Amino acid sequence: MHIGYLAIVLHGHLPYIHHPEAPEMLEERWLFEALTECYLPLLDVFESMQKDKVPYRLTISLSPTLITMLTDPILQERYVRHLEKSIELAVLEQERLQNAPQYQSLSVYYLKKLTELKKQYERYNGNLINPFKQLQQQGCLELITTCATHGFLPLMNCRSSWRAQIQTALELYASHFDHPPAGMWLPECAYAPGLDELLREYQVSYFFVDSHGIYNSRPTSIFGTFAPVCTPAGVAAFGRDPESSRQVWDRHSGYPGDPIYREFYRDIGYDLPLDYIGPYLPGNNIRVDTGLKYHRITGSDPDKQPYRPDLAKKRAAEHARDFIQQRYEQLKKAGRQMHRQPLVLAPYDAELFGHWWFEGPDWLNFLCREAADSDSLRMVTPAEYLKAYPNNQVVELPMCSWGAGGYNQFWLNPSTDWIYKHLHHAEEKMTDLADGHRNAQELEIRCLNQAARELLLAQSSDWPFIIHSGTAVEYAKQRFTNHIGRFNALASMVDTGNIQIDLLEEIEARSKFLPDIDYHVFSSCDMVGRPSTARASYRILMLSWEYPPQTVGGLARHVHDLSCSLAALGDEVHVITCPVSSRGSYSLYRGVHVHRIRPELLTSDDFINWVGQMNNGMAEMAGNLVDVFGPFDLVHAHDWLVVEASKLICGQMKLPLVATIHATEYGRNHGLYTDLQKHIHSLEQELTKQATLLIGCSRYMCQEIARLFNQPIDKIAVIPNGVDPKNILPDREKSLSRSGRGKNILFLGRLVPEKGVQVLIEALPAIIQKAGPVKLYIAGKGPYQQELAEQAKSLGVAAQVHFVGFVNDEDRNKLLDQCDVAVIPSLYEPFGIVALEAMAAGLPVVVSDTGGLRDVIEHGIDGYCVPPGDAAMLAHYTTELLNNPELAQHFTRRAKRNVAVKFNWRQIASDTLKVYAKAIAISALN
Amino acid sequence: MLSSIDRMELPRWYDENKMVLMVVTPHTVFLYWELAFSQWKAVAGHQLIVRLFALAPEQPTEQPRLVTSAALPVGTENWYFNDLPADSQYQADMGWEQDGVFYSLLKSNSVRVPPAEPLGVAREAQWQSMKLGHLPGNIAATTSKPDITVNEILNQMSFYMGIHNTTS
């Protein structure tokens, strides 16, 4: 009986080398050499095993760039020419070596091999995808793919880039193989936390990481690399087995270093005089490998013995047997500590087999046959193993890669660090273009699609890899520069609307890569949809004491925008809320069902009774709604006022409860001093306990909830509040240079000490001193107003301070338009929606570095963050923006973009759905 | 002859304020930056300094801890911070100092460098089918009733986000 499994994975990738503009390109030989030495021999091995009915199992990853080149007619034609040239050279060699029989037999060997390869290639009609596809259909190969251009994901700056790299790759794979791949090879096995969520979204079941990714996981993985782990998003990660890697990879102790095997570094392309070999070299004079190598490794001496294919083959068979024996020992040992059959996962670069290790395909052939005959272990593919063992340990994987050093240093180091500034700029630019041109027209579409291709090609991990490796450096640098340069040229044509069709066509002709790409894949929010964990639609019951048109705080607007966005994503949302005189008991608006409890239910003058009446009314109404609309999937409660109704409804209907805590009574008051405050606090406590999961609007808020109510932090999700830029008008950028008037500072908020207006007034004299005459508009009211007015008077700035009182949306927009900087000097701020509104309106902002504001502003990028309560710093930064309108304009442009990308409601609704799905899953378990 | 699209050049700068921190290894981070022209004008010849902070994301109320700082030679566009403790969160900023006060010009993103070694401490394993685990049960809290009227309470309701008041 077998005691465990072996999964061998070969990753095939080459950068996209496509030069229709030149008759011959040195770098095209990378593909030709790989075809001759690796892919064709491997296919030959697979087919021979198929013919002999060997039940082997192998996993092959084919990169989208490799697939594209393997199916490219120009390259196919050029490869045939290359092969013919090689055959011609082998014939010539037979003559040259007439008097050296040991070597002549080798030239015969090569000639035979090359002639057979040519026949094989012709049998495939030059297209290797067909035989691969056939082998997959026959069940022995599991074919997967990697990112579009093999981009190194952890060093990208935008999630949209991850999405583009993954999605376009999956689409290209599906177009060739008619179904999506089971798993994905992350380029360079490079993982960064969060990638698993995206893979899960695209229904990718597994990926691979290097051993230390598994060893350093949190918590520690129990089975090490002998079983996959499950990431928090539910994707399987298989860890590379270090022992089997070492045996094959290691330069000294590994199999490929055996003295009997062929020496890679002795090639007649280097050894023979140019006047003889020249015609078979690029440009007749560039020394490269011809593939005709006559020596074995022999030893470290430069003196090499002739290569003997028969001996090498024998050694490959011995090494295959040894490999299987070692795996058996390994599995036996591992299995003793596991309650399941262990797995050894051995991933390799495909090109190792045949190209670097000439005998690799033979070794693989022997190995598969050996494994098929063996009773001790069985070959599997990752998907097969997952089917057998679907339950895996949940761990968080750290950032890691399989490159030298184990992290990012091979791609980010002093020889390559200069590329990232350009890549990151292009990533952001591409996202901006996709966001800003949702409905582009014909030529624009072509420009944007090509820009997306150029960016993807610039992201290829090959360029920094080659530059750092020190071979073909100039080619890699120029390729990178050309893709960035072309990207910038295309972006500028779209920006200016001046599209030069000849230039566009010339660039298009260079890269036939990803012909069906749709640039929208780079957009920041268009692609946001229902998370994969969520069902197609939920029936959700929202409980909120206020809902528009009744808006006392920001709660009503929040519940409204969230409900509309959920409805847009396909959910059936029912809101139960308080009555308002202008609305009936039911309305349906933007897909949201709004039910208002009857006003006659709310009769009490006593607050507790009133809240009780409201909650009873809500619970009663929920019962009626079930009769009409059917059962709910979940209740979402907003703040403590609806805790009783939530309890009743969830108890009766056995529903999971998600509660958003918008602010806490403790935080608002910096403590609990009155009976009312203590009462509200206890109700908040109750709500957090009742809830299956909680939502807070900032990291700060989540910590506060966890601390105040003693809730585990993993029960609380951070989902920011949103702002709909459409509601914030006008666009200030158009009315920027308004000379001839003084400078205006705006404060928006309640007048209570926690909002910090006193700090701003304290800063005013210094601001006036450095920035000249200014006016401060204070919009909002509150108990602190009188004190503030007195403060202004005592500081001699009363004439500069204008208390505007409460403002409606229209007046707020007017103020946003009239002012030059918005200051939010809060001492306590769970979120800080006002900052978002100012940013959306194009007004530069200075905020306190506290609470949720920290998550909103990027200091020095889209606004300034000031230590809370520090009037001198507040004066300094406010003055910076007032005195430097150009810099302020940089900030506002950036701020508008950030608001649109980070705080859009579609994203927020999608994140909320993830919480719903999780809550429903938890509740199903209990 | 090569076409112009085959000998493209990289722009020297993009005229934007940007500062990006990147993970190199568990012990090294790389920082690069660019200042907009208008920002350079505001810098007005001050000696620029970069600083690296360790953050405690689990305790947002805790102040970031200064790990190291460096005065930048003129023309520097990037910096490597080496020998850092692994498994930590870092953020950088840049600014100048005057009269003992540091004026920060801009801050970078924050990054988490991965752990360099196994956790060492065994924790209870979770498995996929139970990955959401069991959460604490629901125990109702007892509450006392304060004496307050509906109107009083509604008047104090504008605490949420401030100014959208159309009813009061």
Side-chain angles (χ1 to χ4, degrees):
Chain A
M1 204 194 110
H2 66 280
I3 55 155
Y5 295 96
L6 169 66
I8 290 189
V9 184
L10 305 184
H11 173 54
H13 165 68
L14 280 171
Y16 184 66
I17 310 283
H18 182 257
H19 292 282
E21 77 279 9
E24 134 174 272
M25 204 71 179
L26 183 62
E27 288 75 15
E28 282 172 351
R29 296 174 81 99
W30 297 345
L31 175 70
F32 302 160
E33 286 171 15
L35 276 166
T36 301
E37 296 181 327
C38 172
Y39 296 112
L40 286 169
L42 280 177
L43 276 170
D44 187 47
V45 165
F46 302 155
E47 285 173 344
S48 83
M49 291 195 288
Q50 200 75 34
K51 210 175 101 210
D52 299 342
K53 298 198 171 22
V54 178
Y56 69 101
R57 288 285 184 281
L58 290 167
T59 303
I60 312 270
S61 155
L62 296 173
S63 76
T65 47
L66 179 62
I67 293 172
T68 305
M69 289 191 292
L70 290 178
T71 50
D72 183 273
I74 296 181
L75 287 168
Q76 287 170 348
E77 196 193 307
R78 288 184 185 185
Y79 176 61
V80 173
R81 259 195 343 248
H82 172 86
L83 208 46
E84 283 165 351
K85 271 285 222 195
S86 300
I87 291 170
E88 198 184 302
L89 177 61
V91 172
L92 205 64
E93 279 292 276
Q94 281 188 20
E95 286 170 34
R96 184 181 70 86
L97 296 166
Q98 277 175 29
N99 299 324
Q102 275 180 312
Y103 293 112
Q104 199 203 23
S105 66
L106 274 171
S107 66
V108 174
Y109 166 80
Y110 282 123
L111 179 60
K112 185 167 170 265
K113 211 170 163 76
L114 288 165
T115 315
E116 279 166 8
L117 281 178
K118 187 160 176 269
K119 276 189 208 147
Q120 189 189 356
Y121 195 64
E122 283 163 355
R123 189 153 48 82
Y124 302 148
N125 288 322
N127 185 342
L128 267 64
I129 297 308
N130 293 334
F132 272 120
K133 193 171 162 182
Q134 234 167 31
L135 287 163
Q136 168 154 268
Q137 282 161 355
Q138 286 156 354
C140 294
L141 288 191
E142 184 161 304
L143 294 178
I144 59 170
T145 192
T146 183
C147 288
T149 60
H150 216 252
F152 194 87
L153 302 175
L155 295 177
M156 290 177 190
N157 229 11
C158 297
R159 208 177 162 78
S160 55
S161 286
W162 283 3
R163 194 178 278 286
Q165 282 281 350
I166 292 170
Q167 185 179 316
T168 55
L170 295 176
E171 286 167 358
L172 183 119
Y173 176 96
S175 74
H176 284 279
F177 298 102
D178 308 328
H179 58 82
M184 209 163 184
W185 177 280
L186 295 181
E188 308 296 355
C189 292
Y191 177 80
L195 264 171
D196 58 329
E197 287 167 21
L198 216 53
L199 293 173
R200 167 77 202 227
E201 197 181 305
Y202 286 109
Q203 298 177 3
V204 173
S205 302
Y206 66 82
F207 61 96
F208 308 103
V209 291
D210 204 346
S211 326
H212 59 289
I214 300 286
Y215 297 151
N216 297 353
S217 66
R218 300 290 189 257
T220 305
S221 120
I222 290 176
F223 297 149
T225 57
F226 289 109
V229 294
C230 174
T231 72
V235 185
F238 289 84
R240 171 157 83 149
D241 169 57
E243 280 188 48
S244 52
S245 285
R246 214 168 16 246
Q247 276 183 307
V248 177
W249 275 120
D250 194 281
R251 221 172 282 172
H252 307 292
S253 66
Y255 302 137
D258 192 286
I260 291 288
Y261 287 148
R262 194 183 79 166
E263 170 64 61
F264 178 82
Y265 294 100
R266 284 291 297 276
D267 189 290
I268 62 166
Y270 295 92
D271 287 352
L272 296 182
L274 270 183
D275 55 357
Y276 171 81
I277 196 77
Y280 302 94
L281 298 178
N284 290 332
N285 58 5
I286 303 174
R287 296 276 191 189
V288 296
D289 289 283
T290 61
L292 301 190
K293 301 171 201 268
Y294 296 144
H295 299 91
R296 58 176 108 154
I297 293 172
T298 316
S300 49
D301 254 24
D303 232 12
K304 304 287 179 192
Q305 291 177 8
Y307 180 58
R308 289 270 308 271
D310 54 331
L311 295 182
K313 201 165 185 162
K314 221 174 114 203
R315 184 56 49 90
E318 286 161 20
H319 279 159
R321 259 196 306 281
D322 178 68
F323 187 84
I324 293 288
Q325 181 58 31
Q326 303 241 16
R327 296 295 77 72
Y328 172 72
E329 300 294 338
Q330 207 183 354
L331 288 167
K332 198 164 73 181
K333 211 168 136 191
R336 284 189 206 124
Q337 279 128 41
M338 292 171 71
H339 55 68
R340 60 156 92 177
Q341 295 214 341
L343 167 79
V344 164
L345 179 96
Y348 306 104
D349 267 338
E351 275 192 53
L352 174 72
F353 295 86
H355 183 62
W356 299 107
W357 179 19
F358 186 60
E359 297 77 9
D362 281 336
W363 176 81
L364 201 60
N365 192 2
F366 290 124
L367 184 145
C368 292
R369 289 169 192 267
E370 191 79 25
D373 291 340
S374 159
D375 294 333
S376 56
L377 60 78
R378 215 175 253 188
M379 291 187 98
V380 283
T381 67
E384 283 172 332
Y385 190 83
L386 280 178
K387 266 188 212 156
Y389 297 106
N391 281 355
N392 293 293
Q393 190 189 353
V394 180
V395 303
E396 277 180 45
L397 294 171
M399 184 185 269
C400 56
S401 86
W402 80 342
Y407 298 94
N408 304 337
Q409 63 264 57
F410 206 91
W411 296 269
L412 172 56
N413 52 63
S415 68
T416 60
D417 54 24
W418 54 275
I419 71 171
Y420 292 100
K421 166 173 149 175
H422 302 288
L423 281 174
H424 294 166
H425 181 269
E427 284 180 49
E428 278 171 25
K429 184 71 197 170
M430 188 67 231
T431 303
D432 287 352
L433 288 172
D435 284 349
H437 296 82
R438 277 155 215 244
N439 304 306
Q441 295 309 306
E442 198 192 343
L443 266 185
E444 234 180 11
I445 294 178
R446 277 173 58 190
C447 254
L448 289 162
N449 286 343
Q450 191 58 32
R453 285 185 197 107
E454 298 299 333
L455 171 54
L456 286 169
L457 287 166
Q459 285 175 330
S460 167
S461 68
D462 303 282
W463 314 136
F465 185 91
I466 295 170
I467 293 168
H468 190 53
S469 305
T471 54
V473 174
E474 282 319 305
Y475 179 78
K477 280 186 178 169
Q478 194 56 55
R479 275 294 299 276
F480 174 79
T481 305
N482 284 345
H483 290 303
I484 291 288
R486 291 171 197 169
F487 173 87
N488 288 337
L490 291 160
S492 143
M493 290 202 291
V494 174
D495 273 343
T496 57
N498 177 18
I499 297 177
Q500 300 166 43
I501 181 125
D502 329 353
L503 181 58
L504 171 61
E505 280 176 355
E506 200 187 355
I507 297 177
E508 282 175 333
R510 286 285 190 283
S511 314
K512 303 267 187 205
F513 183 56
L514 295 174
D516 301 325
I517 196 171
D518 176 355
Y519 69 90
H520 288 99
V521 72
F522 273 100
S523 67
S524 59
C525 50
D526 277 16
M527 303 306 292
V528 177
R530 293 189 77 77
S532 55
T533 46
R535 271 210 328 259
S537 176
Y538 293 121
R539 184 172 295 125
I540 298 153
L541 181 60
M542 288 270 180
L543 301 178
S544 169
W545 82 281
E546 64 163 0
Y547 195 80
Q550 177 179 317
T551 57
V552 171
L555 184 67
R557 184 184 297 269
H558 176 98
V559 178
H560 171 266
D561 290 349
L562 175 62
S563 300
C564 292
S565 306
L566 284 168
L569 285 177
D571 296 294
E572 186 182 319
V573 185
H574 295 263
V575 181
I576 302 184
T577 186
C578 282
V580 282
S581 51
S582 57
R583 291 286 192 282
S585 64
Y586 171 75
S587 62
L588 178 64
Y589 177 64
R590 283 176 63 186
V592 179
H593 305 264
V594 183
H595 311 273
R596 295 181 188 274
I597 53 179
R598 284 176 287 130
E600 56 269 31
L601 290 178
L602 304 174
T603 55
S604 179
D605 246 3
D606 168 71
F607 174 61
I608 291 305
N609 282 340
W610 184 87
V611 170
Q613 288 170 340
M614 178 185 77
N615 277 278
N616 284 335
M618 285 180 162
E620 184 193 317
M621 183 164 259
N624 298 341
L625 294 184
V626 172
D627 296 339
V628 180
F629 295 96
F632 291 104
D633 293 300
L634 172 134
V635 175
H636 187 165
H638 294 268
D639 273 1
W640 58 271
L641 269 149
V642 296
V643 62
E644 288 302 325
S646 311
K647 248 167 81 179
L648 281 166
I649 297 166
C650 292
Q652 278 166 13
M653 302 184 188
K654 308 241 176 309
L655 293 178
L657 173 65
V658 169
T660 300
I661 309 291
H662 292 265
T664 68
E665 190 63 10
Y666 185 98
R668 280 188 293 267
N669 303 298
H670 292 279
L672 302 170
Y673 306 105
T674 66
D675 277 352
L676 172 67
Q677 289 166 357
K678 284 176 191 155
H679 177 65
I680 292 176
H681 179 77
S682 70
L683 289 174
E684 287 169 349
Q685 172 99 58
E686 173 77 4
L687 184 60
T688 58
K689 277 190 178 170
Q690 290 292 330
T692 320
L693 290 174
L694 293 161
I695 295 173
C697 58
S698 61
R699 284 176 299 154
Y700 176 84
M701 195 59 201
C702 290
Q703 294 296 332
E704 186 173 297
I705 295 166
R707 186 168 37 87
L708 288 177
F709 306 117
N710 195 24
Q711 295 294 315
I713 195 77
D714 57 3
K715 185 178 165 180
I716 315 164
V718 183
I719 303 181
N721 289 328
V723 63
D724 187 351
K726 272 178 259 153
N727 293 340
I728 315 285
L729 294 165
D731 189 339
R732 289 186 78 258
E733 225 174 281
K734 292 176 196 118
S735 51
L736 223 154
S737 57
R738 288 153 300 167
S739 54
R741 63 151 180 78
K743 293 163 185 168
N744 299 328
I745 302 169
L746 178 61
F747 168 87
L748 295 156
R750 270 179 320 125
L751 304 187
V752 290
E754 76 196 53
K755 292 291 178 189
V757 200
Q758 65 278 19
V759 186
L760 178 54
I761 293 176
E762 192 189 333
L764 208 51
I767 296 172
I768 293 167
Q769 195 197 349
K770 290 185 208 156
V774 299
K775 282 182 185 158
L776 168 61
Y777 289 92
I778 297 178
K781 74 173 193 183
Y784 204 43
Q785 181 165 341
Q786 190 55 39
E787 219 164 307
L788 294 170
E790 278 161 23
Q791 186 199 9
K793 206 170 146 193
S794 73
L795 288 170
V797 291
Q800 282 76 36
V801 177
H802 300 264
F803 290 94
V804 186
F806 265 113
V807 288
N808 58 24
D809 284 4
E810 199 183 322
D811 290 336
R812 177 202 58 192
N813 288 347
K814 266 189 208 151
L815 279 171
L816 286 169
D817 185 40
Q818 280 166 11
C819 290
D820 301 275
V821 60
V823 179
I824 298 121
S826 311
L827 305 176
Y828 169 78
E829 194 68 73
F831 184 69
I833 194 87
V834 181
L836 283 191
E837 288 171 345
M839 289 160 82
L843 190 60
V845 292
V846 179
V847 307
S848 280
D849 190 10
T850 186
L853 288 168
R854 249 182 211 176
D855 295 354
V856 173
I857 299 293
E858 295 175 21
H859 176 75
I861 308 290
D862 61 8
Y864 280 128
C865 288
V866 180
D870 188 334
M873 278 294 184
L874 195 66
H876 169 79
Y877 285 110
T878 307
T879 308
E880 282 286 300
L881 289 177
L882 288 173
N883 285 349
N884 198 345
E886 277 173 56
L887 184 61
Q889 203 177 350
H890 271 289
F891 283 17
T892 53
R893 265 194 225 127
R894 185 72 196 187
K896 281 174 84 165
R897 172 189 190 275
N898 283 353
V899 169
V901 172
K902 291 195 224 161
F903 304 97
N904 77 74
W905 276 104
R906 208 178 157 82
Q907 181 68 54
I908 291 162
S910 176
D911 291 345
T912 306
L913 279 173
K914 281 185 200 157
V915 177
Y916 289 171
K918 196 172 162 190
I920 288 166
I922 292 172
S923 143
L925 284 175
N926 294 337
Chain B
M1 201 193 103
L2 275 179
S3 158
S4 66
I5 64 162
D6 296 317
R7 43 188 169 84
M8 304 293 295
E9 284 178 12
L10 295 172
R12 286 189 61 88
W13 71 329
Y14 294 98
D15 189 21
E16 60 186 5
N17 263 21
K18 186 167 194 153
M19 194 176 207
V20 179
L21 191 61
M22 300 168 77
V23 176
V24 184
T25 71
H27 303 292
T28 302
V29 293
F30 169 71
L31 180 71
Y32 77 83
W33 61 84
E34 180 178 309
L35 299 185
F37 182 61
S38 49
Q39 180 70 73
W40 274 120
K41 279 199 293 187
V43 168
H46 285 286
Q47 162 72 61
L48 290 181
I49 295 167
V50 284
R51 308 186 300 178
L52 188 75
F53 292 91
L55 308 182
E58 289 78 28
Q59 279 125 5
T61 46
E62 204 167 284
Q63 283 304 305
R65 186 175 54 81
L66 181 66
V67 178
T68 179
S69 68
L72 294 172
V74 176
T76 318
E77 290 177 324
N78 59 58
W79 204 260
Y80 286 87
F81 295 97
N82 297 306
D83 306 319
L84 302 169
D87 200 13
S88 307
Q89 184 107 5
Y90 295 104
Q91 186 171 31
D93 81 345
M94 180 196 284
W96 74 77
E97 212 174 276
Q98 200 169 36
D99 304 326
V101 180
F102 189 86
Y103 294 94
S104 163
L105 283 178
L106 77 170
K107 269 188 194 161
S108 75
N109 56 312
S110 75
V111 295
R112 176 145 206 104
V113 294
E117 51 193 25
L119 192 56
V121 189
R123 278 213 322 245
E124 202 178 324
Q126 287 190 314
W127 299 83
Q128 188 183 39
S129 60
M130 314 189 304
K131 78 173 185 184
L132 299 173
H134 179 74
L135 291 168
N138 303 327
I139 301 152
T142 51
T143 57
S144 62
K145 292 181 175 187
D147 182 26
I148 189 163
T149 68
V150 175
N151 274 342
E152 279 171 326
I153 200 111
L154 291 183
N155 269 330
Q156 297 187 38
M157 286 284 170
S158 56
F159 42 57
Y160 291 104
M161 287 142 201
I163 58 158
H164 303 296
N165 194 307
T166 53
T167 55
S168 49

